[in-house]
């Protein structure tokens, strides 16, 4: 949508779709707006009625600053520091999104050496909250203005003596690079065109106002079959359009 510059209001209960597509997130509860703001800020809030289970986590905007071709890794820079992620072939300077789930973040009082975890960043505890299960707690961490969420046991939180404002180290065990969705046809520059996927249930002439072969919503007579959405989501070739 950055390329086509088309504003979209997208309603979804799927956290993966939200993480991939949204810039601004509005949270509704019982038909009322309970929160509205930037995607990363809202996903990091612990006081909202969003129950994502294992998908609790944040999304960060980052830029590729280094590629380590020997180990097939890339270093990306975000507002709070840098992270090592798998190399997806993006050139330096390329903007992308990374997703960090709360279950993949642990907390230490001191920096730990001799560990397989590549990403250890200084942070401060911003907030603690109970999780659905009584054994667990959620901890919101501030890393240079960027927010992360960690899921740990309440016993661990008590043993570490975690309180808001406390300095800690965030150990990030896994960072997911959000895959870009591409339209199969070539753009003017010969690359692939990023698109937003909308599932329309009725006829629409919206596609007529878009560049040739870049329609997001097709007429009822030209609805794309369900396999199309799977093919695009998994980035497999598709030539039916």
């Amino acid at each position: 949508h950055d390329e086509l510059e088309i504003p979209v209001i997208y309603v979804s209960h799927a956290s993966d779709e939200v993480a991939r597509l949204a810039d601004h997130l509005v949270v509704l509860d019982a038909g009322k707006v309970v929160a509205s703001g930037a995607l990363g800020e809202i996903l990091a809030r612990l006081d909202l009625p969003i129950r994502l289970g294992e998908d609790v986590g944040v999304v960060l905007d980052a830029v590729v600053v280094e590629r380590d071709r020997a180990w097939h890794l890339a270093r990306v820079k975000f507002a709070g520091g840098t992270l090592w992620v798998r190399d997806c072939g993006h050139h330096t300077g390329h903007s992308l999104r990374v997703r960090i789930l709360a279950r993949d973040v642990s907390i230490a009082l001191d920096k730990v050496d001799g560990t397989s975890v590549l990403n250890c960043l200084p942070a401060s505890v911003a907030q603690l909250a109970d999780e659905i299960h009584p054994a667990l707690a959620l901890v919101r961490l501030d890393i240079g203005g960027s927010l992360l969420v960690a899921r740990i046991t309440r016993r661990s939180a008590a043993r570490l003596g975690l309180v808001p404002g406390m300095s800690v180290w965030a150990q990030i065990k896994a960072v997911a690079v959000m895959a870009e969705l591409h339209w199969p046809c070539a753009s003017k520059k010969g690359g692939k065109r990023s698109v937003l996927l909308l599932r329309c249930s009725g006829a629409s002439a919206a596609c007529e106002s878009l560049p040739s072969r870049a329609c997001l919503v097709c007429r009822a007579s030209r609805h794309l079959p369900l396999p199309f959405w799977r093919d695009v989501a998994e980035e497999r070739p598709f030539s039916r359009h």
Side-chain angles (χ1 to χ4, degrees):
H1 64 291
D2 288 338
E3 210 172 310
L4 296 178
E5 297 182 349
I6 299 174
V8 173
I9 297 177
Y10 192 94
V11 180
S12 177
H13 292 88
S15 61
D16 184 64
E17 290 180 342
V18 171
R20 190 186 299 265
L21 299 176
D23 295 314
H24 188 98
L25 187 59
V26 178
V27 181
L28 300 176
D29 184 35
K32 296 182 179 180
V33 175
V34 295
S36 175
L39 176 66
E41 174 189 342
I42 298 300
L43 290 180
R45 285 184 56 174
L46 307 182
D47 60 337
L48 297 178
I50 305 177
R51 301 304 180 194
L52 297 178
E54 291 299 303
D55 290 332
V56 171
V58 301
V59 174
L60 301 174
D61 292 317
V63 177
V64 178
V65 295
E66 180 184 349
R67 296 179 66 189
D68 186 343
R69 288 179 171 81
W71 298 108
H72 306 285
L73 295 172
R75 188 165 63 93
V76 301
K77 184 177 182 179
F78 69 105
T82 62
L83 296 165
W84 285 103
V85 301
R86 60 186 174 87
D87 187 358
C88 296
H90 300 308
H91 57 77
T92 56
H94 181 84
S95 298
L96 47 74
R97 281 183 173 180
V98 296
R99 189 181 186 191
I100 302 174
L101 298 179
R103 69 187 184 209
D104 293 325
V105 181
S106 61
I107 298 173
L109 297 183
D110 301 295
K111 187 175 181 179
V112 180
D113 295 320
T115 174
S116 63
V117 179
L118 290 178
N119 297 308
C120 299
L121 300 174
S124 62
V125 176
Q127 183 185 1
L128 294 96
D130 292 335
E131 249 282 37
I132 297 176
H133 194 283
L136 302 176
L138 293 175
V139 184
R140 184 168 67 168
L141 301 171
D142 187 319
I143 302 179
S146 295
L147 299 175
L148 291 185
V149 177
R151 178 191 281 124
I152 62 176
T153 64
R154 293 177 63 188
R155 180 177 181 177
S156 294
R159 183 167 58 86
L160 295 175
L162 299 182
V163 292
M166 185 176 179
S167 295
V168 296
W169 285 84
Q171 300 179 128
I172 304 169
K173 294 174 285 185
V175 182
V177 177
M178 301 300 295
E180 297 173 338
L181 294 181
H182 297 295
W183 188 257
C185 62
S187 66
K188 291 181 179 179
K189 295 182 180 180
K192 292 184 176 180
R193 183 185 299 277
S194 298
V195 301
L196 297 178
L197 303 182
L198 302 181
R199 305 189 189 202
C200 55
S201 58
S204 172
C207 59
E208 292 183 345
S209 64
L210 301 176
S212 175
R213 300 190 66 188
C215 56
L216 304 186
V217 183
C218 290
R219 291 181 179 274
S221 60
R222 297 175 58 212
H223 274 182
L224 299 176
L226 192 58
F228 164 79
W229 305 107
R230 271 198 304 273
D231 288 344
V232 172
E234 297 177 9
E235 298 186 298
R236 297 201 302 267
F238 180 80
S239 59
R240 181 175 304 208
H241 199 299

